[in-house]
Amino acid sequence: MLDAALLAGTHDRECVFEAFTRRLPTGRRYGILAGTGRLLDLVQRFRFEEPELEWLRSNHVVRDATLDWLADYRFSGTISGYREGEVFFPGSPFLVVDAPFAEGVILETLILSVFNYDSAVASAAARMVTAAVGRPLAEMGSRRANEGAAVAAARAAFIAGFSATSNLEAGRTWGVPTMGTAAHAFTLLHDSEEDAFRAQVDALGPGTTLLVDTFDVEHAIDLAVKVAGPQLGAVRLDSGDLPNLVRTVRAQLDGLGATNTRITVTNDLDEFTIAALQASPVDSYGVGTSVVTGSGFPASGMVYKLVAHRSHNGDGEWIPVAKKSEGKASIAGRKHPVRRLNPSGTAIAEAIHIVENGAAPDDNGRSLLVPLMTDGEAHPEFLGAAGTIAARSHREAAMRELPDQAFRLGRGDPVLPTIYV
Amino acid sequence: MLDAALLAGTHDRECVFEAFTRRLPTGRRYGILAGTGRLLDLVQRFRFEEPELEWLRSNHVVRDATLDWLADYRFSGTISGYREGEVFFPGSPFLVVDAPFAEGVILETLILSVFNYDSAVASAAARMVTAAVGRPLAEMGSRRANEGAAVAAARAAFIAGFSATSNLEAGRTWGVPTMGTAAHAFTLLHDSEEDAFRAQVDALGPGTTLLVDTFDVEHAIDLAVKVAGPQLGAVRLDSGDLPNLVRTVRAQLDGLGATNTRITVTNDLDEFTIAALQASPVDSYGVGTSVVTGSGFPASGMVYKLVAHRSHNGDGEWIPVAKKSEGKASIAGRKHPVRRLNPSGTAIAEAIHIVENGAAPDDNGRSLLVPLMTDGEAHPEFLGAAGTIAARSHREAAMRELPDQAFRLGRGDPVLPTIYV
């Protein structure tokens, strides 16, 4: 596309691209947007260096003039969008890119890769946070996702309300609080379970979390309290029939005087099994596979579409464009989305105004687009650890606007209607 | 774990770790192993540099002695495993790591991240290749996966029998054949569909593939053949009721004399919709979301377990170890897996021998473990583009051994029993 547009001289037509999803995953009532902070950083650093150019050259992928263009590539456009952590619905134009065609089209895969995955994780994680009714959740799924995706997943889960991650790189890069855990291998390495517990308590103190299901849970709990004392921080259960087991373990700990020792559970949990433990004396959850794979929906179905370009015939008018493909038609023209609220502050509709020349619509609702990048420079408040924490706060505020039925775990329709006005 | 083992002096006990999956995704009859070539390269380069050490230090994650150990980290162990592209079943010990505890345990997340994702993609992709009955498949799902995962997915799909990818980085890094496509944005950018087609043919020649469903398919096909001539390479359909549409389009192309123009389809395909097109005159498929997300199973459920460590009490005997956790028990001791074949060369069982001191078992079947890395040095034939192509060939050979029922798309049990002997 780039090669052909450069040859045709259409590459520098001023364009508006929008990213949105046509539908939520089946039965989901809302989505949580994540990825913005990562994307802005990636766009600012997006370059074609000599190794890439050389490969394109020697494989005759594009013409020499296109290689020259790529060598100079630096995104110079302007991006606005929903704040990271915002709630979204079908059609929500969560990212709007204003750029010459070539500069904007070449970012399509990067933009969609980041938002499709990060938002899939955040949207699933938010449901788990609801199911946990205030108990803390730790993201422990790095090993179930691609090694790079794992870092993004830890960040997205934190934005959605998880308390911590076992991924240290997410701590280093994005400021996500981190925690560790011991695996069964640590117990098996030692000559006895007692030796293993002692080694862990010696290094990490009695406040550590001991894994108690390697052999026999009842025996291990006696041992754990014997080694660490009743000030033992927590025990972790990674197997078994959790609702019953947790009750028994709580009674045993209390009987041993370890009344402040917490119980953390980690056995293939998802939002439904977490909900099933609401009445059990669990203190915290560790979630792996289900959160990093979006709990059944590992991609958010987001697309990136050209919606308008500026006429090059002298008048400079914006020309709205859309495809008409069966079942996949898009809506032409620049959008301005507004979340309408009722007088008590509860969201009632996603109102999407189609505007010309970027004029703000006349609507009392909460305007959803904010400037994210201007002339190729990202607004710094969205980047790094600060941007990640801001996204987590915004997610909390945006979710508070939603009507109660948004938080039911059962299948339902999107909780707000999307209205084009 | 590392911190505590270093303090306890148990960190350098000689260990054997094995990676395997407890079960295949529901209804799947076999899995395809992918990730080995990527993993060996990542393990060779796995280091803790000053930025990581400084973060660990300033956050008091581990003690100073542990930081020193990490600063010197370089994997010095030995790895054997199934060849990349091999078929696997529940329990198949596809990777065996011989290393001191600390060196081996620290690789757990990296190993599982790589194999869980890459094998999920390859296992799904192999079913699509079967469903396509010899027609070529292109992987076009980069935008539906994390930006790093996308490169791994392109590679895994190629190993599983896909012909090409739209991910140029996978071409550059792993030698996967690449292809391009035009999006609807390219058509919408131009003043008319005819202008867009002409721009594309001018740049890429009449052998290119024109996207014909932006507005009206019938009109676009007339236009495409008018612009490119009957030597037009292909048309792409990305929407609509494909079985019917493809037949109509074929008749129209033939009527225009474009009898060699191919039809490629790309509308949210998976193995089942590909199978449903077997009787339609489709020439090739482009597959996105379903292949990069493992067609419903984005993680392979692989785990990494300590199975033995060498006694430190002077006799140097191997001590087999296993956890007994309810529903998640592991099998102690070093394994030696063999694929048993009947006299006509068809696989009949995955026989897993539990051996002491690494002795090869007495079994006529095909021995499945090969040396991959010795004393920290990867065997070069498994790396890079050459390793990727070798994996693709091995996958083909390994799949030829499977009984016919392996290739049914409907739900079934693993096609070979796993036997411990």
mmCIF file of all heavy atoms in Angstrom, chain B residues 343-357:
data_model
loop_
_atom_site.group_PDB
_atom_site.id
_atom_site.type_symbol
_atom_site.label_atom_id
_atom_site.label_comp_id
_atom_site.label_asym_id
_atom_site.label_seq_id
_atom_site.Cartn_x
_atom_site.Cartn_y
_atom_site.Cartn_z
ATOM 1 N N PRO B 343 4.218 -51.967 12.309
ATOM 2 C CA PRO B 343 5.134 -52.343 11.215
ATOM 3 C C PRO B 343 4.982 -51.466 9.965
ATOM 4 O O PRO B 343 5.943 -51.277 9.205
ATOM 5 C CB PRO B 343 4.751 -53.801 10.933
ATOM 6 C CG PRO B 343 4.198 -54.305 12.227
ATOM 7 C CD PRO B 343 3.464 -53.143 12.819
ATOM 8 N N SER B 344 3.799 -50.872 9.737
ATOM 9 C CA SER B 344 3.663 -50.005 8.560
ATOM 10 C C SER B 344 4.074 -48.560 8.852
ATOM 11 O O SER B 344 3.898 -47.678 8.012
ATOM 12 C CB SER B 344 2.234 -50.071 8.024
ATOM 13 O OG SER B 344 1.315 -49.728 9.023
ATOM 14 N N GLY B 345 4.612 -48.320 10.031
ATOM 15 C CA GLY B 345 5.143 -46.987 10.316
ATOM 16 C C GLY B 345 4.150 -46.024 10.912
ATOM 17 O O GLY B 345 4.434 -44.833 11.029
ATOM 18 N N THR B 346 2.973 -46.499 11.291
ATOM 19 C CA THR B 346 1.976 -45.627 11.911
ATOM 20 C C THR B 346 2.159 -45.614 13.425
ATOM 21 O O THR B 346 2.346 -46.666 14.040
ATOM 22 C CB THR B 346 0.553 -46.124 11.554
ATOM 23 O OG1 THR B 346 0.424 -46.111 10.128
ATOM 24 C CG2 THR B 346 -0.513 -45.238 12.174
ATOM 25 N N ALA B 347 2.099 -44.412 13.984
ATOM 26 C CA ALA B 347 2.301 -44.267 15.434
ATOM 27 C C ALA B 347 1.155 -44.934 16.190
ATOM 28 O O ALA B 347 -0.015 -44.806 15.805
ATOM 29 C CB ALA B 347 2.381 -42.789 15.799
ATOM 30 N N ILE B 348 1.490 -45.634 17.267
ATOM 31 C CA ILE B 348 0.466 -46.309 18.067
ATOM 32 C C ILE B 348 0.512 -45.930 19.545
ATOM 33 O O ILE B 348 -0.471 -46.123 20.247
ATOM 34 C CB ILE B 348 0.542 -47.851 17.925
ATOM 35 C CG1 ILE B 348 1.977 -48.343 18.192
ATOM 36 C CG2 ILE B 348 0.085 -48.287 16.535
ATOM 37 C CD1 ILE B 348 2.089 -49.852 18.286
ATOM 38 N N ALA B 349 1.616 -45.403 20.023
ATOM 39 C CA ALA B 349 1.659 -45.024 21.442
ATOM 40 C C ALA B 349 2.817 -44.075 21.721
ATOM 41 O O ALA B 349 3.842 -44.091 21.040
ATOM 42 C CB ALA B 349 1.794 -46.253 22.336
ATOM 43 N N GLU B 350 2.601 -43.214 22.729
ATOM 44 C CA GLU B 350 3.657 -42.381 23.293
ATOM 45 C C GLU B 350 4.132 -43.125 24.538
ATOM 46 O O GLU B 350 3.451 -43.120 25.571
ATOM 47 C CB GLU B 350 3.074 -41.005 23.657
ATOM 48 C CG GLU B 350 4.077 -39.952 24.012
ATOM 49 C CD GLU B 350 4.645 -39.247 22.780
ATOM 50 O OE1 GLU B 350 4.583 -39.817 21.661
ATOM 51 O OE2 GLU B 350 5.143 -38.113 22.922
ATOM 52 N N ALA B 351 5.255 -43.810 24.433
ATOM 53 C CA ALA B 351 5.751 -44.622 25.551
ATOM 54 C C ALA B 351 6.796 -43.815 26.307
ATOM 55 O O ALA B 351 7.818 -43.425 25.735
ATOM 56 C CB ALA B 351 6.350 -45.923 25.032
ATOM 57 N N ILE B 352 6.529 -43.555 27.581
ATOM 58 C CA ILE B 352 7.434 -42.726 28.371
ATOM 59 C C ILE B 352 8.107 -43.599 29.426
ATOM 60 O O ILE B 352 7.470 -44.057 30.374
ATOM 61 C CB ILE B 352 6.668 -41.548 28.999
ATOM 62 C CG1 ILE B 352 6.023 -40.722 27.872
ATOM 63 C CG2 ILE B 352 7.608 -40.684 29.833
ATOM 64 C CD1 ILE B 352 5.250 -39.523 28.334
ATOM 65 N N HIS B 353 9.377 -43.851 29.190
ATOM 66 C CA HIS B 353 10.162 -44.664 30.114
ATOM 67 C C HIS B 353 10.718 -43.774 31.214
ATOM 68 O O HIS B 353 11.184 -42.664 30.940
ATOM 69 C CB HIS B 353 11.332 -45.321 29.375
ATOM 70 C CG HIS B 353 10.902 -46.256 28.292
ATOM 71 N ND1 HIS B 353 10.936 -47.625 28.423
ATOM 72 C CD2 HIS B 353 10.402 -46.013 27.056
ATOM 73 C CE1 HIS B 353 10.488 -48.187 27.309
ATOM 74 N NE2 HIS B 353 10.163 -47.227 26.455
ATOM 75 N N ILE B 354 10.666 -44.270 32.434
ATOM 76 C CA ILE B 354 11.278 -43.545 33.549
ATOM 77 C C ILE B 354 12.618 -44.211 33.814
ATOM 78 O O ILE B 354 12.679 -45.398 34.133
ATOM 79 C CB ILE B 354 10.349 -43.564 34.767
ATOM 80 C CG1 ILE B 354 9.058 -42.811 34.373
ATOM 81 C CG2 ILE B 354 11.017 -42.891 35.965
ATOM 82 C CD1 ILE B 354 7.926 -42.980 35.326
ATOM 83 N N VAL B 355 13.676 -43.459 33.577
ATOM 84 C CA VAL B 355 15.012 -44.058 33.575
ATOM 85 C C VAL B 355 15.882 -43.430 34.654
ATOM 86 O O VAL B 355 15.694 -42.291 35.046
ATOM 87 C CB VAL B 355 15.706 -43.864 32.203
ATOM 88 C CG1 VAL B 355 14.966 -44.627 31.137
ATOM 89 C CG2 VAL B 355 15.830 -42.400 31.830
ATOM 90 N N GLU B 356 16.836 -44.199 35.115
ATOM 91 C CA GLU B 356 17.803 -43.660 36.064
ATOM 92 C C GLU B 356 19.092 -43.324 35.334
ATOM 93 O O GLU B 356 19.486 -44.014 34.394
ATOM 94 C CB GLU B 356 18.088 -44.681 37.170
ATOM 95 C CG GLU B 356 16.954 -44.715 38.185
ATOM 96 C CD GLU B 356 17.284 -45.583 39.368
ATOM 97 O OE1 GLU B 356 18.487 -45.798 39.617
ATOM 98 O OE2 GLU B 356 16.346 -46.049 40.011
ATOM 99 N N ASN B 357 19.724 -42.262 35.759
ATOM 100 C CA ASN B 357 21.031 -41.888 35.222
ATOM 101 C C ASN B 357 21.051 -41.768 33.701
ATOM 102 O O ASN B 357 22.065 -41.977 33.059
ATOM 103 C CB ASN B 357 22.103 -42.871 35.687
ATOM 104 C CG ASN B 357 22.213 -42.835 37.210
ATOM 105 O OD1 ASN B 357 22.223 -41.755 37.791
ATOM 106 N ND2 ASN B 357 22.235 -43.997 37.834
#
